[in-house]
Structures are given as structure tokens and as C-alpha cells.
Amino acid sequence: FSSYENIKVEKKEGRVALIELYRPKALNALCTPLINELNDATEKLDLDADVGAIVITGSEKAFAAGADIKEMQSKEYINAYTTNMFANWANLSKIQTPTIAAVNGFALGGGCELAMLCDIILAGEKAKFGQPEIKLGTIPGCGGTQRLIRAVGKSKAMELVLTGNMMSAQEAEAKGLVARIYPVEDLVDEALKMARQISSFSKPIVQMAKEAVNASYEMSLEEGCRFERRIFHSTFSTEDRLEGMTAFVEKRDPTFKHK
Ligand code: CO8
């Protein structure tokens, strides 16, 4: 991790990892090298037995101000298409380890989309979310038109995408895009605390729960519930399910084996 230039990665106590997007001069604009480093780090952390959850954050001024406009400025269609430009951004949504976006400041364009690729979004009270691509003559390219509508509903998503207006942390929480809001200076610690809480449970069971919730993006209600039930049944094949329920009955804390 020490060779990265655009992100900082740190393993913290309690089986959690902290990734800080670090391009302070460009408000963490998401250039290709940054995304490549982020994908490399998250793929490695996903396979690390000592990591139960990952927090991704930026600076107090900006989580990320979008894709790097200077890098995109002179791109042509043929190159964007043949290189499938930005398709690898969504790799983050494919890892099994839970991810928490801790958003202070601007989460705009690709920055808002990056936050939405994470499993939980926590925000500092001055955070601002938006999809301002329309102002640049383009549209969101990494799920902004798809994931935002599922989080905040059609009318609000349309407003953000068609006007480029920003949404405050308070509005984002009220609409369900953000799980919780914290004072700016407490945000990362609170995100790490939540990550540690998740990491204290059985890792395979946490991953099954994540997989089941994420399935709701892709499936009908009936298929989704069937999928959930099958995974629920499969938890009965694990020692940790037996330990969790036995500990409850014996009025003690569980000791999960598979972390
Ligand atoms: N790209 C490149 N550089 C940026 C970006 C960006 N997105 N955002 C800010 N910067 C740079 C500025 O150019 C400036 O650099 P310099 O000092 O060299 O001129 C530096 O960061 C500081 O920025 P500002 O001076 O503008 O700071 P302000 O505090 O005045 O303004 C704002 C902050 C409002 C956030 C402003 O910087 C801004 O509007 N930024 C652009 C926001 C934006 O339009 N984002 C959407 C980008 S498009 C996009 O994300 C497409 C996604 C589709 C692909 C998805 C991938 C799959």
C-alpha cells in the first residue's frame, strides 16, 4: 500500500481498514491512477482475513469532486467507447467486505457515485451531494442515474441530475441516501466505530447479509425473498450461527470463530 500516490491506506485496530482519497490539490478528483489504486487496495483488503470492514473517506473539504475533468476534457467518443472508460469504477461494488463511505464536503458527480458504490454512506453535517455533470455537457457515467433514484426517489433524483443542484447532508439523510450525520470532526472516528461493530460479527454471515441486501437491486420482490431465504437457510450450516443462538440462550456474549 505504501507505493500509492493518490490514496492512503491504513489498517486500524478492530479489524478495519481506512482508505483516504488523497489528491488535495484537485479536491480528490478521481483520476484514472486514483481509481486503479483504489481498486487494487480494496481487492487486496477484501481478501485480507484481518479486515472485516473498510471505511473510505476524503478530506474535510471534499470526499471527491467528481471524475477528473482535466483528464476527460479532450477525450473522444471512439476512445471512451473502446476503452470502456470508467467501467472499472464499479469494481468497488463487487467486493464482499462491507464498505462505508465517510463523506465530508463535496461528493459530486463521480464522487457521489463512488459514495453510492459503498454499502453505507455516513456524512459530516456540511457534506454536499450532487450530480452536476449536466453543467459540463454530459451525464452521470457510473450509476448516478440508476442508484440515486433508488435512494432518493424519482423527483429528487431528476432534480439533481437535470439541474446540477446540490443536496445537503440533512436532506440526503432525510431521503435515505445517508444513514447518519455526524459533526465534521467526528465523522471518520464514528465511521471506524461502525466498521468495528460490523467486524465484530461473523465475517461470512456479514457477507451473506450484504449479498442478500444487494440482491434487491437486481431482483423482483418474490425472487429476492427466495434468494434471501436460501441464504438464511445456509447460515444454519455455520458454526457461528449455532454459537450466536447458543450464546443468547446461555445469556453470554458470542465468540464467533470465522472472522
Ligand atoms: N476535476 C479536475 N479538477 C478538479 C475537479 C474535477 N472534478 N474539481 C475541482 N478540481 C480542481 C480545480 O480545477 C482546482 O484546481 P486549480 O487550483 O488547479 O484550478 C482545484 O480542484 C480546487 O477547485 P476550485 O478552485 O474549483 O474549488 P472551489 O472551492 O472554488 O469549488 C467545487 C469547489 C464547487 C467542487 C468546484 O471545484 C467544482 O465545481 N468542481 C467540479 C465538480 C463537478 O463538476 N464534478 C463532476 C465531474 S464530471 C463527473 O464526475 C463525471 C462522472 C462520470 C464518470 C463516472 C465514472 C464512472
Side-chain angles (χ1 to χ4, degrees):
F1 299 134
S2 56
S3 63
Y4 297 147
E5 289 174 5
N6 301 283
I7 63 173
K8 294 178 182 176
V9 181
E10 216 182 325
K11 287 218 263 175
K12 299 274 198 184
E13 55 147 326
R15 305 179 58 254
V16 302
L18 177 65
I19 299 179
E20 185 188 339
L21 310 177
Y22 190 71
R23 284 189 79 205
K25 289 194 182 131
L27 301 183
N28 293 332
L30 302 162
C31 58
T32 300
L34 187 154
I35 292 297
N36 289 343
E37 289 175 8
L38 185 63
N39 281 338
D40 188 62
T42 49
E43 277 161 27
K44 285 183 178 135
L45 293 170
D46 194 30
L47 298 175
D48 188 329
D50 275 341
V51 174
I54 301 168
V55 174
I56 300 177
T57 196
S59 67
E60 289 196 356
K61 168 133 199 213
F63 177 73
D68 190 318
I69 300 168
K70 292 168 189 166
E71 187 184 294
M72 280 187 296
Q73 183 192 1
S74 54
K75 284 246 190 240
E76 291 180 3
Y77 169 77
I78 198 76
N79 175 270
Y81 181 77
T82 54
T83 61
N84 207 0
M85 182 169 82
F86 299 151
N88 69 339
W89 282 41
N91 289 6
L92 176 60
S93 66
K94 302 200 175 87
I95 65 169
Q96 287 183 283
T97 306
T99 49
I100 300 175
V103 176
N104 266 324
F106 297 111
L108 301 177
C112 186
E113 293 170 308
L114 181 67
M116 290 191 290
L117 290 173
C118 294
D119 299 315
I120 299 171
I121 304 179
L122 304 178
E125 52 201 5
K126 293 192 184 138
K128 295 242 181 263
F129 296 84
Q131 297 289 162
E133 288 89 344
I134 201 77
K135 297 184 189 171
L136 301 168
T138 186
I139 72 166
C142 188
T145 64
Q146 307 300 303
R147 290 194 177 88
L148 194 58
I149 192 172
R150 287 163 158 92
V152 303
K154 176 180 160 186
S155 194
K156 194 73 213 175
M158 279 288 190
E159 185 206 333
L160 294 188
V161 171
L162 299 185
T163 67
N165 289 348
M166 292 186 211
M167 178 165 61
S168 67
Q170 291 71 19
E171 199 177 354
E173 187 196 26
K175 297 269 185 309
L177 177 67
V178 160
R180 283 172 194 269
I181 301 179
Y182 295 100
V184 172
E185 60 281 7
D186 296 343
L187 174 69
V188 174
D189 283 344
E190 292 290 347
L192 289 169
K193 205 188 283 177
M194 188 178 283
R196 275 196 291 273
Q197 187 180 356
I198 293 169
S199 299
S200 72
F201 301 121
S202 165
K203 187 166 178 172
I205 305 293
V206 163
Q207 294 187 346
M208 286 179 199
K210 165 171 168 162
E211 188 183 358
V213 174
N214 276 337
S216 69
Y217 269 134
E218 316 291 346
M219 292 181 176
S220 67
L221 180 60
E222 193 176 341
E223 279 307 301
C225 287
R226 206 165 99 90
F227 182 76
E228 177 196 74
R229 202 161 53 246
R230 291 292 172 249
I231 296 194
F232 167 67
H233 292 160
S234 72
T235 65
F236 284 77
S237 70
T238 66
E239 292 165 284
D240 285 341
R241 196 282 316 166
L242 180 60
E243 166 62 7
M245 292 191 182
T246 304
F248 176 84
V249 171
E250 293 176 355
K251 300 187 189 298
R252 60 172 173 83
D253 289 334
T255 307
F256 293 120
K257 236 182 170 176
H258 297 288
K259 285 193 169 176

